[in-house]
Amino acid sequence: MTSRKDALYELPSIRERPDWSREGFPRVTSDIESQPPSGAIVKLARAPSVWIIIGFLIAGFFLIRWIASIGGPEVFSERFGRVAPLITLPAHIIVALTPFPSDAIAIANGSLYGFVSAVFLNWFGWWLAALLEFQLGRRTRRDFHSDDQRDRLPAWLRRLPIEAPAFLILARQIPWLGGHVTTFLPGAAGVAYRRFWWCAAVAVIPGSVLMAAIGAGLVQWLE
């Protein structure tokens, strides 16, 4: 039996080891705080959405290198003839899903296929890319249980009107960033499929027309 005197000199257990704070008072440090953040790494490694994103990044990187090695998207028609649009469209979609700009392909469509055909190819490519990125946001939402983490998001992010059609259409016009903010975030936030589909279809029209016009020579790029 431990005497009262001996108890005074007993060391605290691992679960209740005192940790001196700035105020000079000890606080209890739990065993969870002392563990390395390996759980988060394992969760990321097991999430299919993470590997899909990595796959698209790798594919986009090598695709851009391949396009540059053959002389750029402007030579697609010369090298592949009538089947060139069947190569241009998938290339456009894959690059649009990555942080790499896809405007060069959209502009080249204007010079290769004419204004009207390029508008359709640009619109269809960007719209399909938006649907895929939206679905990727949905997948990420399931993988990380975003519904349970919504209260932990930054206040500015929670205040964004992600479900509003005006946001989905107008914010898309922000160069580079808008194309990802208005596609991935709505999917992760649980925006309704039907609303996103028609908003994305409208949102990609201005960029499709502008890039096709530049490629077709109807609009001169900033000089």
Side-chain angles (χ1 to χ4, degrees), residues 9-30:
Y9 294 96
E10 287 183 354
L11 292 175
S13 64
I14 295 177
R15 291 179 176 270
E16 297 181 353
R17 181 177 298 140
D19 182 19
W20 294 92
S21 62
R22 294 180 180 179
E23 291 79 7
F25 296 98
R27 67 178 179 86
V28 175
T29 304
S30 66

Side-chain angles (χ1 to χ4, degrees), residues 76-91:
F76 275 11
S77 182
E78 178 183 346
R79 288 181 63 96
F80 305 108
R82 295 182 178 180
V83 300
L86 300 180
I87 299 174
T88 303
L89 183 61

Side-chain angles (χ1 to χ4, degrees), residues 26-47:
R27 67 178 179 86
V28 175
T29 304
S30 66
D31 55 348
I32 297 178
E33 293 176 326
S34 62
Q35 293 179 358
S38 58
I41 298 176
V42 171
K43 188 173 183 179
L44 285 172
R46 291 179 177 177

